[in-house]
PDB file of all heavy atoms in Angstrom:
ATOM      1  N   MET A 103      78.820  18.291 -96.277  1.00 99.00           N
ATOM      2  CA  MET A 103      79.764  19.092 -95.510  1.00 99.00           C
ATOM      3  C   MET A 103      80.597  19.984 -96.430  1.00 99.00           C
ATOM      4  O   MET A 103      80.824  21.180 -96.139  1.00 99.00           O
ATOM      5  CB  MET A 103      80.698  18.194 -94.705  1.00 99.00           C
ATOM      6  CG  MET A 103      81.608  18.966 -93.751  1.00 99.00           C
ATOM      7  SD  MET A 103      80.745  19.652 -92.322  1.00 99.00           S
ATOM      8  CE  MET A 103      80.728  18.198 -91.252  1.00 99.00           C
ATOM      9  N   VAL A 118      86.462  20.435 -83.874  1.00 98.00           N
ATOM     10  CA  VAL A 118      85.236  19.807 -83.393  1.00 98.00           C
ATOM     11  C   VAL A 118      84.700  20.571 -82.189  1.00 98.00           C
ATOM     12  O   VAL A 118      83.492  20.776 -82.052  1.00 98.00           O
ATOM     13  CB  VAL A 118      85.509  18.332 -83.036  1.00 98.00           C
ATOM     14  CG1 VAL A 118      84.275  17.699 -82.388  1.00 98.00           C
ATOM     15  CG2 VAL A 118      85.910  17.543 -84.280  1.00 98.00           C
ATOM     16  N   ILE A 136      91.126  18.333 -82.956  1.00 98.00           N
ATOM     17  CA  ILE A 136      90.623  17.593 -84.124  1.00 98.00           C
ATOM     18  C   ILE A 136      89.849  18.538 -85.024  1.00 98.00           C
ATOM     19  O   ILE A 136      88.981  19.289 -84.571  1.00 98.00           O
ATOM     20  CB  ILE A 136      89.711  16.435 -83.679  1.00 98.00           C
ATOM     21  CG1 ILE A 136      90.481  15.451 -82.806  1.00 98.00           C
ATOM     22  CG2 ILE A 136      89.113  15.718 -84.887  1.00 98.00           C
ATOM     23  CD1 ILE A 136      89.606  14.414 -82.133  1.00 98.00           C
ATOM     24  N   THR A 137      90.152  18.504 -86.310  1.00 98.00           N
ATOM     25  CA  THR A 137      89.485  19.369 -87.277  1.00 98.00           C
ATOM     26  C   THR A 137      88.404  18.613 -88.046  1.00 98.00           C
ATOM     27  O   THR A 137      88.371  17.376 -88.058  1.00 98.00           O
ATOM     28  CB  THR A 137      90.490  19.946 -88.275  1.00 98.00           C
ATOM     29  OG1 THR A 137      91.026  18.865 -89.073  1.00 98.00           O
ATOM     30  CG2 THR A 137      91.629  20.676 -87.570  1.00 98.00           C
ATOM     31  N   VAL A 138      87.569  19.370 -88.729  1.00 99.00           N
ATOM     32  CA  VAL A 138      86.553  18.777 -89.595  1.00 99.00           C
ATOM     33  C   VAL A 138      87.222  17.923 -90.671  1.00 99.00           C
ATOM     34  O   VAL A 138      86.758  16.825 -90.993  1.00 99.00           O
ATOM     35  CB  VAL A 138      85.678  19.876 -90.229  1.00 99.00           C
ATOM     36  CG1 VAL A 138      84.750  19.296 -91.298  1.00 99.00           C
ATOM     37  CG2 VAL A 138      84.879  20.605 -89.155  1.00 99.00           C
ATOM     38  N   ARG A 139      88.317  18.399 -91.234  1.00 98.00           N
ATOM     39  CA  ARG A 139      89.033  17.639 -92.251  1.00 98.00           C
ATOM     40  C   ARG A 139      89.456  16.269 -91.713  1.00 98.00           C
ATOM     41  O   ARG A 139      89.343  15.246 -92.399  1.00 98.00           O
ATOM     42  CB  ARG A 139      90.272  18.409 -92.712  1.00 98.00           C
ATOM     43  CG  ARG A 139      91.018  17.759 -93.878  1.00 98.00           C
ATOM     44  CD  ARG A 139      92.394  18.389 -94.074  1.00 98.00           C
ATOM     45  NE  ARG A 139      92.295  19.835 -94.171  1.00 98.00           N
ATOM     46  CZ  ARG A 139      92.011  20.501 -95.292  1.00 98.00           C
ATOM     47  NH1 ARG A 139      91.812  19.833 -96.408  1.00 98.00           N
ATOM     48  NH2 ARG A 139      91.944  21.818 -95.285  1.00 98.00           N
ATOM     49  N   GLN A 140      89.946  16.252 -90.478  1.00 99.00           N
ATOM     50  CA  GLN A 140      90.415  14.996 -89.892  1.00 99.00           C
ATOM     51  C   GLN A 140      89.271  14.029 -89.607  1.00 99.00           C
ATOM     52  O   GLN A 140      89.466  12.811 -89.634  1.00 99.00           O
ATOM     53  CB  GLN A 140      91.221  15.290 -88.628  1.00 99.00           C
ATOM     54  CG  GLN A 140      92.566  15.937 -88.928  1.00 99.00           C
ATOM     55  CD  GLN A 140      93.226  16.539 -87.707  1.00 99.00           C
ATOM     56  OE1 GLN A 140      92.585  16.799 -86.675  1.00 99.00           O
ATOM     57  NE2 GLN A 140      94.527  16.796 -87.809  1.00 99.00           N
ATOM     58  N   LEU A 141      88.076  14.558 -89.359  1.00 98.00           N
ATOM     59  CA  LEU A 141      86.911  13.686 -89.263  1.00 98.00           C
ATOM     60  C   LEU A 141      86.632  13.036 -90.610  1.00 98.00           C
ATOM     61  O   LEU A 141      86.418  11.829 -90.708  1.00 98.00           O
ATOM     62  CB  LEU A 141      85.680  14.471 -88.814  1.00 98.00           C
ATOM     63  CG  LEU A 141      85.655  15.073 -87.411  1.00 98.00           C
ATOM     64  CD1 LEU A 141      84.336  15.818 -87.197  1.00 98.00           C
ATOM     65  CD2 LEU A 141      85.861  14.022 -86.332  1.00 98.00           C
ATOM     66  N   LEU A 142      86.617  13.852 -91.653  1.00 98.00           N
ATOM     67  CA  LEU A 142      86.206  13.369 -92.970  1.00 98.00           C
ATOM     68  C   LEU A 142      87.209  12.414 -93.594  1.00 98.00           C
ATOM     69  O   LEU A 142      86.829  11.554 -94.389  1.00 98.00           O
ATOM     70  CB  LEU A 142      85.941  14.544 -93.910  1.00 98.00           C
ATOM     71  CG  LEU A 142      84.809  15.501 -93.510  1.00 98.00           C
ATOM     72  CD1 LEU A 142      84.638  16.586 -94.563  1.00 98.00           C
ATOM     73  CD2 LEU A 142      83.493  14.757 -93.296  1.00 98.00           C
ATOM     74  N   ASN A 143      88.511  12.565 -93.248  1.00 98.00           N
ATOM     75  CA  ASN A 143      89.493  11.649 -93.857  1.00 98.00           C
ATOM     76  C   ASN A 143      90.017  10.605 -92.874  1.00 98.00           C
ATOM     77  O   ASN A 143      90.998   9.912 -93.159  1.00 98.00           O
ATOM     78  CB  ASN A 143      90.647  12.415 -94.508  1.00 98.00           C
ATOM     79  CG  ASN A 143      91.554  13.122 -93.512  1.00 98.00           C
ATOM     80  OD1 ASN A 143      91.437  12.958 -92.303  1.00 98.00           O
ATOM     81  ND2 ASN A 143      92.484  13.910 -94.030  1.00 98.00           N
ATOM     82  N   HIS A 144      89.375  10.464 -91.736  1.00 98.00           N
ATOM     83  CA  HIS A 144      89.702   9.419 -90.755  1.00 98.00           C
ATOM     84  C   HIS A 144      91.120   9.524 -90.216  1.00 98.00           C
ATOM     85  O   HIS A 144      91.797   8.507 -90.000  1.00 98.00           O
ATOM     86  CB  HIS A 144      89.485   8.030 -91.359  1.00 98.00           C
ATOM     87  CG  HIS A 144      88.056   7.708 -91.671  1.00 98.00           C
ATOM     88  ND1 HIS A 144      87.063   7.654 -90.718  1.00 98.00           N
ATOM     89  CD2 HIS A 144      87.448   7.427 -92.854  1.00 98.00           C
ATOM     90  CE1 HIS A 144      85.914   7.344 -91.291  1.00 98.00           C
ATOM     91  NE2 HIS A 144      86.111   7.211 -92.583  1.00 98.00           N
ATOM     92  N   THR A 145      91.576  10.731 -89.971  1.00 98.00           N
ATOM     93  CA  THR A 145      92.876  10.910 -89.318  1.00 98.00           C
ATOM     94  C   THR A 145      92.724  11.533 -87.931  1.00 98.00           C
ATOM     95  O   THR A 145      93.686  12.049 -87.376  1.00 98.00           O
ATOM     96  CB  THR A 145      93.816  11.777 -90.182  1.00 98.00           C
ATOM     97  OG1 THR A 145      93.233  13.084 -90.372  1.00 98.00           O
ATOM     98  CG2 THR A 145      94.098  11.133 -91.528  1.00 98.00           C
ATOM     99  N   SER A 146      91.527  11.467 -87.363  1.00 98.00           N
ATOM    100  CA  SER A 146      91.268  12.067 -86.051  1.00 98.00           C
ATOM    101  C   SER A 146      91.880  11.276 -84.914  1.00 98.00           C
ATOM    102  O   SER A 146      92.165  11.816 -83.851  1.00 98.00           O
ATOM    103  CB  SER A 146      89.762  12.189 -85.809  1.00 98.00           C
ATOM    104  OG  SER A 146      89.197  10.902 -85.569  1.00 98.00           O
ATOM    105  N   LEU A 148      90.164   9.091 -83.301  1.00 98.00           N
ATOM    106  CA  LEU A 148      89.073   8.726 -82.393  1.00 98.00           C
ATOM    107  C   LEU A 148      88.737   7.242 -82.495  1.00 98.00           C
ATOM    108  O   LEU A 148      88.696   6.670 -83.590  1.00 98.00           O
ATOM    109  CB  LEU A 148      87.827   9.562 -82.701  1.00 98.00           C
ATOM    110  CG  LEU A 148      87.925  11.048 -82.360  1.00 98.00           C
ATOM    111  CD1 LEU A 148      86.709  11.791 -82.895  1.00 98.00           C
ATOM    112  CD2 LEU A 148      88.070  11.258 -80.849  1.00 98.00           C
ATOM    113  N   SER A 197      87.159   5.048 -88.715  1.00 98.00           N
ATOM    114  CA  SER A 197      86.365   5.159 -87.491  1.00 98.00           C
ATOM    115  C   SER A 197      85.005   5.757 -87.809  1.00 98.00           C
ATOM    116  O   SER A 197      84.902   6.905 -88.255  1.00 98.00           O
ATOM    117  CB  SER A 197      87.080   6.027 -86.451  1.00 98.00           C
ATOM    118  OG  SER A 197      86.256   6.215 -85.314  1.00 98.00           O
ATOM    119  N   THR A 199      82.959   6.786 -85.754  1.00 98.00           N
ATOM    120  CA  THR A 199      82.738   7.916 -84.850  1.00 98.00           C
ATOM    121  C   THR A 199      82.919   9.246 -85.566  1.00 98.00           C
ATOM    122  O   THR A 199      82.195  10.221 -85.310  1.00 98.00           O
ATOM    123  CB  THR A 199      83.715   7.834 -83.659  1.00 98.00           C
ATOM    124  OG1 THR A 199      83.625   6.533 -83.058  1.00 98.00           O
ATOM    125  CG2 THR A 199      83.411   8.897 -82.621  1.00 98.00           C
ATOM    126  N   ASN A 200      83.878   9.291 -86.489  1.00 98.00           N
ATOM    127  CA  ASN A 200      84.141  10.524 -87.227  1.00 98.00           C
ATOM    128  C   ASN A 200      82.901  11.042 -87.947  1.00 98.00           C
ATOM    129  O   ASN A 200      82.618  12.249 -87.959  1.00 98.00           O
ATOM    130  CB  ASN A 200      85.254  10.283 -88.257  1.00 98.00           C
ATOM    131  CG  ASN A 200      86.593  10.027 -87.611  1.00 98.00           C
ATOM    132  OD1 ASN A 200      86.950  10.645 -86.615  1.00 98.00           O
ATOM    133  ND2 ASN A 200      87.345   9.098 -88.187  1.00 98.00           N
ATOM    134  N   TYR A 201      82.158  10.134 -88.562  1.00 98.00           N
ATOM    135  CA  TYR A 201      81.017  10.577 -89.365  1.00 98.00           C
ATOM    136  C   TYR A 201      79.754  10.785 -88.540  1.00 98.00           C
ATOM    137  O   TYR A 201      78.853  11.517 -88.968  1.00 98.00           O
ATOM    138  CB  TYR A 201      80.804   9.614 -90.534  1.00 98.00           C
ATOM    139  CG  TYR A 201      81.693  10.020 -91.693  1.00 98.00           C
ATOM    140  CD1 TYR A 201      83.051   9.743 -91.674  1.00 98.00           C
ATOM    141  CD2 TYR A 201      81.195  10.755 -92.757  1.00 98.00           C
ATOM    142  CE1 TYR A 201      83.883  10.150 -92.696  1.00 98.00           C
ATOM    143  CE2 TYR A 201      82.007  11.166 -93.793  1.00 98.00           C
ATOM    144  CZ  TYR A 201      83.350  10.873 -93.755  1.00 98.00           C
ATOM    145  OH  TYR A 201      84.175  11.306 -94.774  1.00 98.00           O
ATOM    146  N   LEU A 203      80.031  12.378 -85.746  1.00 99.00           N
ATOM    147  CA  LEU A 203      80.331  13.776 -85.396  1.00 99.00           C
ATOM    148  C   LEU A 203      80.096  14.709 -86.581  1.00 99.00           C
ATOM    149  O   LEU A 203      79.592  15.820 -86.404  1.00 99.00           O
ATOM    150  CB  LEU A 203      81.778  13.886 -84.918  1.00 99.00           C
ATOM    151  CG  LEU A 203      82.046  13.281 -83.530  1.00 99.00           C
ATOM    152  CD1 LEU A 203      83.541  13.078 -83.319  1.00 99.00           C
ATOM    153  CD2 LEU A 203      81.464  14.161 -82.433  1.00 99.00           C
ATOM    154  N   ALA A 204      80.436  14.272 -87.779  1.00 99.00           N
ATOM    155  CA  ALA A 204      80.195  15.101 -88.963  1.00 99.00           C
ATOM    156  C   ALA A 204      78.708  15.393 -89.117  1.00 99.00           C
ATOM    157  O   ALA A 204      78.300  16.526 -89.434  1.00 99.00           O
ATOM    158  CB  ALA A 204      80.738  14.418 -90.213  1.00 99.00           C
ATOM    159  N   ILE A 207      77.745  18.031 -86.662  1.00 99.00           N
ATOM    160  CA  ILE A 207      78.198  19.363 -87.074  1.00 99.00           C
ATOM    161  C   ILE A 207      77.293  19.927 -88.161  1.00 99.00           C
ATOM    162  O   ILE A 207      76.959  21.126 -88.162  1.00 99.00           O
ATOM    163  CB  ILE A 207      79.664  19.312 -87.533  1.00 99.00           C
ATOM    164  CG1 ILE A 207      80.578  19.033 -86.338  1.00 99.00           C
ATOM    165  CG2 ILE A 207      80.069  20.625 -88.214  1.00 99.00           C
ATOM    166  CD1 ILE A 207      82.023  18.784 -86.703  1.00 99.00           C
TER     167      ILE A 207
END
Side-chain angles (χ1 to χ4, degrees):
M103 187 72 83
V118 174
I136 299 170
T137 66
V138 171
R139 186 193 308 276
Q140 289 166 342
L141 294 179
L142 298 182
N143 69 7
H144 294 299
T145 61
S146 72
L148 291 172
S197 175
T199 308
N200 292 321
Y201 275 76
L203 288 164
I207 291 172

